[in-house]
Amino acid sequence: MSDSNLLTNLQASFIGIDTEYPTVDGQRGPRIYLDSAASTLMMAPAYEVGHEFLEHYASTHSDLHYAARSASHAFDWAHECVLRFVDADTDRYCAFFAGSGATAGFNRMAASLSRARPERKVVLVSEMEHHSNDLPHRHHCSQVVHVPCMGEFERYGGLDMDKLRAIFEEYGEKINYIAVTGASNVTGAITPLAEVAKLAHAVGAYVVVDASQMIAHAPVSMNDADIDVLVFSGHKIYAPGSPGAVIAKKTVLSEIKPAELGGGMVDDVYIAEYMPTETLPDREEAGTPNIVGGIMLGAVLDLLTRVGMDKVREKEIGLIDYTWNALKDIEGVSVYGPEPADVPRTGTIAFNIKGFDHGLTAAALNDFHNIQVRNGCFCAHPYVRELLKKEMWDMDIDPDAPNAEADVERKRGMARASLGLYTTQADLEKLIAAVRDLTSRRDEILSLYEPIGSNGYRHSSFAPAPRDLFDPKRLLGNFLATSA
Ligand SMILES: Cc1ncc(COP(=O)(O)O)c(C=O)c1O
């Protein structure tokens, strides 16, 4: 199969892409899923690998019975797939799985690096970060310095390299590491990682990259950019239910003590002492791992390596430009973040419709048009508030006021459309048409909805119950009925 056939087949292979839901007009139809930045859909051939593996299921760390041998081999293969996918040389780098997403990896690295290099008290964190790549550093490290972005107000975004240079000069060898996102989960703005790594390494600091939003959208080369640590979530790259992945230089891992202890990471244990193993990745994977999830993630990464992430990126760029320009051209719609021509970006576009709170936009897109987008501050509150600053001032709202009332919170946020491998031009044309439709029926739509809490809106007469959409108990009931 040629690479482009493989890409086409993969694009058509996602579980749940055509799931049908009801709309206000009494119709039922396939959803348009534009919420991939929160979590992607499952790639079917990778799911099938995981499903088939269950026929051989056993725990890893043994090769004496057949199933354990298969499990250990497949789990090792998954680690190799991760390393290959991020172009990390096996002599220099090691991959390990942690928790259920990137959050576990950041907490681990923040705790370990701050303990390993206490004399370097400063950690740099960009102002674009998801809370997962900000709060663990605030918690574990003595001093966090936030690095500003370029531009202002709604165009704020993309690391300000001049200011970063000045910060590296000011703090020099006091800096332990810089934690920076590869791409923002709000605006998709991409960070020039190789340049950041050069600045960091000049003062002996490490670079910890949050690749959660970059991993499914653009090629990453840890070798070329000389990245020390890279972290991502498997559920953001077509393997929901898989663990977080951490890829780190072996020199970095050998400097730190394992942050988690338990079975599988020790050579021996006595009442008086214990001896952590020197073997990687075992030393970093205490406990029984998420073997099925790791194998499904390995399968996704293997397939995408065969396609080539440069091809995935090439395909997405046209869709990003189309959506950005088309949304921007709609009267009364604001789009956020730097212009794609100024800062390269991934397929994540945050926007607001004048007169609509972000929650109302998301609810109406769902209820009237079967389009699924996310809304709020996307766990990147400081960045979102900066992007909204001018609009908030114009509404006489202090963007930084803590503990704001619910009616302020309902304005402090955005709707976000985010793309995946399965997103088509037709999906995005439907989004644009739907946004146009909402802007043209503002008063009617406002009259149909009531606010719920600080983030949501509910239609006054159309609100299918969650259990009518999917009900695990009903499925169990089917099984129980056939077992009666
Ligand atoms: C940029 C970024 N970093 C980190 C995370 C945290 O990932 P997880 O919740 O899978 O740990 C997310 C999730 O939305 C994200 O978008």
Side-chain angles (χ1 to χ4, degrees):
M1 193 184 290
S2 76
D3 292 350
S4 61
N5 277 349
L6 179 56
L7 178 56
T8 310
N9 285 352
L10 282 183
Q11 285 174 303
S13 79
F14 286 89
I15 299 174
I17 193 67
D18 289 327
T19 302
E20 296 195 347
Y21 292 107
T23 39
V24 174
D25 55 8
Q27 305 287 310
R28 224 184 141 77
R31 64 166 161 184
I32 295 175
Y33 188 73
L34 292 175
D35 196 14
S36 299
S39 208
T40 55
L41 301 181
M42 180 84 220
M43 190 184 273
Y47 175 78
E48 278 153 24
V49 170
H51 191 250
E52 180 85 3
F53 164 66
L54 291 174
E55 299 280 341
H56 302 271
Y57 185 78
S59 191
T60 49
H61 294 131
S62 166
D63 68 356
L64 293 185
H65 71 71
Y66 292 142
R69 194 180 302 166
S70 306
S72 302
H73 167 79
F75 199 53
D76 287 349
W77 171 78
H79 289 80
E80 287 159 23
C81 293
V82 172
L83 287 166
R84 209 173 308 122
F85 189 73
V86 296
D87 188 28
D89 199 327
T90 48
D91 292 339
R92 290 174 73 207
Y93 289 96
C94 167
F96 63 91
F97 294 117
S100 60
T103 305
F106 294 122
N107 279 285
R108 292 271 293 274
M109 292 317 293
S112 299
L113 289 173
S114 61
R115 215 178 303 128
R117 313 210 296 173
E119 70 291 358
R120 289 177 172 259
K121 294 199 179 310
V122 175
V123 169
L124 310 185
V125 171
S126 102
E127 286 188 2
M128 285 183 297
E129 297 312 307
H130 186 284
H131 302 332
S132 288
N133 195 28
D134 180 358
L135 303 187
H137 313 301
R138 294 193 202 188
H139 180 67
H140 288 289
C141 310
S142 312
Q143 187 184 355
V144 167
V145 174
H146 285 94
V147 182
C149 300
M150 297 180 289
E152 58 175 0
F153 304 127
E154 73 274 17
R155 294 284 159 264
Y156 193 65
L159 209 56
D160 187 324
M161 294 304 288
D162 290 335
K163 292 198 177 124
L164 180 63
R165 234 168 258 120
I167 290 171
F168 270 117
E169 263 167 40
E170 183 181 345
Y171 293 96
E173 293 185 2
K174 290 193 195 118
I175 301 171
N176 189 344
Y177 61 92
I178 173 168
V180 67
T181 193
S184 157
N185 68 317
V186 180
T187 60
I190 290 179
T191 304
L193 295 174
E195 267 180 70
V196 173
K198 260 195 208 121
L199 293 175
H201 293 159
V203 297
Y206 294 138
V207 183
V208 176
V209 172
D210 177 359
S212 304
Q213 293 297 335
M214 169 168 253
I215 198 75
H217 301 275
V220 181
S221 171
M222 290 189 73
N223 288 328
D224 290 353
D226 202 13
I227 296 166
D228 300 290
V229 180
L230 186 129
V231 180
F232 69 89
S233 304
H235 70 88
K236 303 234 190 240
I237 182 158
Y238 313 120
S242 66
V246 180
I247 307 97
K249 283 185 182 160
K250 289 179 178 171
T251 49
V252 173
L253 292 179
S254 63
E255 219 182 325
I256 64 179
K257 287 209 169 79
E260 291 193 353
L261 296 132
M265 51 72 64
V266 275
D267 284 333
D268 211 345
V269 177
Y270 299 87
I271 292 300
E273 59 178 333
Y274 60 88
M275 293 91 180
T277 179
E278 290 302 316
T279 307
L280 291 168
D282 302 23
R283 195 173 132 95
E284 293 295 337
E285 288 181 339
T288 305
N290 176 353
I291 307 166
V292 183
I295 290 170
M296 290 194 301
L297 177 56
V300 168
L301 299 181
D302 184 51
L303 288 167
L304 289 176
T305 302
R306 290 167 197 271
V307 168
M309 285 305 289
D310 46 346
K311 293 222 172 54
V312 172
R313 171 88 181 134
E314 204 179 288
K315 173 201 166 267
E316 197 180 75
I317 283 178
L319 298 179
I320 298 167
D321 288 347
Y322 164 76
T323 315
W324 168 269
N325 290 322
L327 278 173
K328 208 165 141 220
D329 284 349
I330 302 174
E331 176 82 31
V333 172
S334 308
V335 286
Y336 298 95
E339 295 275 348
D342 296 338
V343 176
R345 57 196 299 153
T346 56
T348 293
I349 299 175
F351 64 97
N352 269 323
I353 303 175
K354 197 168 182 190
F356 282 66
D357 291 346
H358 51 89
L360 180 59
T361 302
L365 283 174
N366 179 73
D367 297 350
F368 286 85
H369 296 280
N370 223 337
I371 294 179
Q372 302 181 338
V373 300
R374 194 144 293 250
N375 70 289
C377 293
F378 320 116
C379 299
H381 294 193
Y383 185 27
V384 167
R385 282 205 291 267
E386 200 57 39
L387 288 162
L388 290 174
K389 201 173 219 167
K390 188 158 176 307
E391 279 176 54
M392 301 263 101
W393 285 343
D394 290 347
M395 285 188 271
D396 229 5
I397 296 172
D398 173 2
D400 295 317
N403 305 320
E405 302 289 320
D407 58 342
V408 170
E409 289 300 351
R410 284 196 293 272
K411 303 208 176 312
R412 225 162 41 173
M414 302 153 180
R416 180 185 70 183
S418 52
L419 283 53
L421 201 59
Y422 30 73
T423 306
T424 62
Q425 173 79 19
D427 293 340
L428 297 166
E429 284 168 7
K430 284 183 188 149
L431 170 71
I432 303 303
V435 171
R436 277 207 191 95
D437 175 57
L438 298 193
T439 58
S440 70
R441 296 160 63 198
R442 200 187 79 175
D443 291 346
E444 178 202 340
I445 287 171
L446 284 177
S447 72
L448 290 171
Y449 280 84
E450 56 186 273
I452 307 288
S454 58
N455 205 36
Y457 271 83
R458 186 157 307 145
H459 192 283
S460 51
S461 59
F462 174 76
R467 69 176 168 279
D468 292 337
L469 304 170
F470 173 72
D471 184 8
K473 256 168 68 186
R474 182 173 48 80
L475 294 180
L476 284 179
N478 293 346
F479 175 75
L480 293 173
T482 56
S483 311

